[in-house]
Amino acid sequence: MNGALYARRIVNTRAAHQADGLSAGLRAQGAIPVEWPCIAIAPPDDPAPFDAALRELCAGGFDWLILTSANTVYAIAERLTAGGLAFDPPRFQTAAVGTATAAAARDQLGMHAAALADTFTGDALADALTAVIAAAPGIGRALLPESALARDAHGTSPLARRLDAVGLAVRAVEAYRTICAPVPDGDDLAARLRGAQIDALTFTSPSTVRCFLERLTADARESAFGCPAACIGTTTAAAARTAGFRRVLVSNPHTVEGLIAALKAHFESVLFNKGLV
């Protein structure tokens, strides 16, 4: 295989429990993934409210479970196992942001999304739910497990406010914290960046951008800023630009496949400009 990504060394900053899909996709294109997990998913400081909400969900206390990320699905699966709970059978419907979240819900929870955003944003999910609710009045209670980072200065998330506005009684509950993962033992990424031995970086959330940079010395950060930074979504791309990355690529669609496609298109352009294709 001699495609545009062949032998490109591309850093995968996803959490360890999510890294395999991106690494496999890169290998399929002939790239060399460099796994450097920058974030980890941790339970809330006080998991009791989340656990109570999940018990109520299992008992039929909500009409909808709203899933805003694959990490939310992972957090739910972890707490269900810890509490000896199960959706058997589910007494609610599921809404998901994007196909990756829907696939995680299917694989980890056995849930099939009844409402799925056509683009991978909270606004699109709110639109999809609004359409479903309009067709089936009387569906009123929703559980919205969220990252601790989802809430803004108002103390709630924009998605929760939008859903409240269309008639859902939303209970938002903290499901997980995103923390910076420890640097892997024997790590040499900083030296590889300084030595121009990395061809591109990937980021899947603003947290991966922040935690990536927090680990590096100033000279390694400057080397990183010169690498192409492929980002899932416009929010992550904005965080990368603000941090100082000079070549930011944005996936379209906002999926792992879109991320790989953005990298492939970038390096095809590089080869074309060099007259190699």
Side-chain angles (χ1 to χ4, degrees), residues 66-69 95-98 116-130 144 146 157-163 235 254:
I66 301 171
L67 302 172
T68 56
S69 71
V97 170
L116 181 66
D118 54 3
T119 58
F120 308 145
T121 65
D123 281 344
L125 182 58
D127 290 341
L129 272 169
T130 299
L144 175 60
E146 297 182 301
S157 68
L159 177 57
R161 291 195 297 275
R162 272 214 60 188
L163 295 175
T235 302
H254 302 168

Side-chain angles (χ1 to χ4, degrees), residues 15-263:
H17 71 277
Q18 291 183 307
D20 288 350
L22 177 55
S23 289
L26 291 170
R27 289 191 192 97
Q29 295 292 326
I32 303 169
V34 179
E35 293 189 359
W36 210 59
C38 287
I39 61 171
I41 304 305
D45 288 328
D46 178 10
F50 185 33
D51 290 344
L54 289 177
R55 287 193 296 271
E56 189 173 346
L57 179 68
C58 290
F62 295 95
D63 300 301
W64 284 92
L65 171 63
I66 301 171
L67 302 172
T68 56
S69 71
N71 282 333
T72 303
V73 176
Y74 176 80
I76 291 171
E78 291 287 294
R79 296 312 300 172
L80 289 175
T81 299
L85 299 171
F87 303 142
D88 189 25
R91 305 181 186 183
F92 53 86
Q93 297 189 80
T94 304
V97 170
T99 52
T101 301
R106 181 192 63 231
D107 296 342
Q108 297 179 46
L109 301 175
M111 302 282 98
H112 292 274
L116 181 66
D118 54 3
T119 58
F120 308 145
T121 65
D123 281 344
L125 182 58
D127 290 341
L129 272 169
T130 299
V132 172
I133 293 165
I139 297 175
R141 299 195 67 207
L143 177 62
L144 175 60
E146 297 182 301
S147 163
L149 299 175
R151 296 178 182 178
D152 57 20
H154 301 284
T156 59
S157 68
L159 177 57
R161 291 195 297 275
R162 272 214 60 188
L163 295 175
D164 277 329
V166 300
L168 275 178
V170 177
R171 185 192 301 178
V173 61
E174 182 182 331
Y176 65 94
R177 293 176 296 125
T178 301
I179 61 175
C180 293
V183 177
D185 292 338
D187 173 69
D188 67 348
L189 185 65
R192 296 177 73 177
L193 285 165
R194 289 192 296 266
Q197 297 172 12
I198 295 296
D199 294 294
L201 311 167
T202 62
F203 297 111
T204 55
S205 68
S207 295
T208 56
V209 176
R210 175 176 59 82
C211 292
F212 176 84
L213 293 174
E214 283 183 3
R215 295 172 165 186
L216 299 178
T217 58
D219 57 342
R221 281 197 298 271
E222 186 54 38
S223 298
F225 289 148
C227 290
C231 300
I232 283 186
T234 54
T235 302
T236 302
R241 291 189 186 98
T242 299
F245 288 95
R246 295 186 286 274
R247 288 184 288 172
V248 176
L249 318 176
V250 185
S251 66
N252 185 20
H254 302 168
T255 62
V256 165
E257 293 77 14
L259 195 66
I260 294 170
L263 285 163

